[in-house]
Structures are given as structure tokens and as C-alpha cells.
């Protein structure tokens, strides 16, 4: 297997570049995430409990799971521009729930480059399959 050459540079990446990725967030994905972070609140694990005790129609994904979905478009961005980065920080504001069975589409957009440190700031927006905003945020990446 030939190794892919990552020959891009921080300098070659233009502002306002976007990447988008979609992910089905079903019960199996929520279960796997719950086990990975050891968080088993019934609002995430039990649809009957969620319907009986909340206004949600089914169990919902962990907020940090919605945040984690920004990883795929960041990976795609790096692959397209042939650069390596390391995550420095993220921030998220949850606007609406991600209900089991939703498909979340996450879009990142490069909005700022800090040349002295080779850092890139991305805005992040996640919507469900109905086009409803479920999360907004930012990610800061360090070019390597």
C-alpha cells in the first residue's frame, strides 16, 4: 500500500473554505458513545423514560456527541488540503436536541488564520435532517 503524501501547507489554505459531513445518530451510535464516556443518563439510554419524563419524543444524544461530529469534516478538510493539524480547543452551544434516528449534518468553515502560531479557527454548525439548527460552535486547530 502506497503511503499518501501530505504535502500541503498552512499557507496554502484559503479563508472561508468549508467542509460538510452527515452522520446518522441512531440508538446504536448513542449506546457506543455512552459506553465510551461512561455516561448512562436515562434521557440518553431509554426512549420510554425520555417520553414519560421529558418533552423529548425519544432518547437524545449526549451534547458532547453532537460536538464530536465536527471531527469528520475537520478530517476531510485536512485530507483535501493535505495538511496535518491538532485540535487545540472547541466550544459548543446546543440549540436543539439530537433525537435517536436523526441525521446530523455538520459544516465547518475556516474563518481566521493566525499566522504567527499557524492556527486556524473554524465556525461549526450542525443541523438535523429537517434543517433545524442543533448546535453552533468553534474549533481551533494547530497546523503541524
Amino acid at each position: 500500500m502506497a503511503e499518501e503524501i501530505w504535502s500541503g501547507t498552512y499557507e496554502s489554505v484559503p479563508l472561508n473554505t468549508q467542509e460538510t459531513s452527515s452522520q446518522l445518530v441512531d440508538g446504536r451510535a448513542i449506546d457506543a458513545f455512552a459506553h465510551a464516556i461512561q455516561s448512562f443518563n436515562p434521557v440518553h439510554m431509554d426512549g420510554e423514560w425520555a417520553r414519560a419524563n421529558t418533552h423529548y419524543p425519544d432518547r437524545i444524544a449526549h451534547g458532547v456527541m453532537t460536538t464530536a461530529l465536527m471531527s469528520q469534516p475537520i478530517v476531510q478538510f485536512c485530507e483535501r488540503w493535505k495538511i496535518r493539524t491538532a485540535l487545540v480547543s472547541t466550544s459548543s452551544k446546543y440549540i436543539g436536541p439530537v433525537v435517536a434516528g436523526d441525521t446530523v449534518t455538520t459544516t465547518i468553515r475556516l474563518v481566521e488564520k493566525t499566522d504567527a502560531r499557524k492556527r486556524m479557527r473554524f465556525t461549526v454548525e450542525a443541523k438535523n435532517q429537517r434543517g433545524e439548527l442543533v448546535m453552533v460552535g468553534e474549533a481551533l486547530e494547530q497546523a503541524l
Side-chain angles (χ1 to χ4, degrees):
M1 176 185 221
E3 186 174 319
E4 187 173 356
I5 298 173
W6 289 71
S7 58
T9 64
Y10 161 87
E11 293 79 13
S12 68
V13 181
L15 287 174
N16 295 312
T17 304
Q18 291 189 159
E19 288 292 337
T20 299
S21 158
S22 295
Q23 177 72 40
L24 173 64
V25 180
D26 60 6
R28 193 167 141 194
I30 294 170
D31 290 346
F33 194 83
H35 285 276
I37 66 170
Q38 294 294 293
S39 175
F40 303 104
N41 182 322
V43 75
H44 305 303
M45 305 307 295
D46 185 339
E48 288 182 26
W49 187 94
R51 285 185 290 280
N53 295 285
T54 73
H55 62 280
Y56 301 123
D58 203 342
R59 61 187 180 143
I60 61 171
H62 301 73
V64 292
M65 182 178 185
T66 306
T67 298
L69 295 177
M70 72 175 69
S71 295
Q72 184 60 38
I74 290 172
V75 167
Q76 291 171 191
F77 177 92
C78 290
E79 288 173 350
R80 176 158 53 124
W81 293 98
K82 305 289 187 225
I83 62 170
R84 301 277 188 201
T85 64
L87 183 64
V88 175
S89 67
T90 64
S91 66
S92 301
K93 180 177 180 182
Y94 306 111
I95 309 299
V98 173
V99 178
D102 280 353
T103 296
V104 177
T105 299
T106 305
T107 301
I108 63 162
R109 184 169 62 87
L110 179 59
V111 294
E112 180 181 16
K113 292 170 64 175
T114 306
D115 294 340
R117 297 187 79 179
K118 290 192 175 184
R119 289 193 170 174
M120 298 179 287
R121 186 171 62 86
F122 296 87
T123 57
V124 182
E125 182 178 271
K127 294 180 178 182
N128 64 21
Q129 69 276 7
R130 293 175 298 283
E132 300 164 339
L133 196 60
V134 295
M135 191 264 306
V136 294
E138 289 190 349
L140 184 63
E141 291 278 330
Q142 174 70 54
L144 304 175

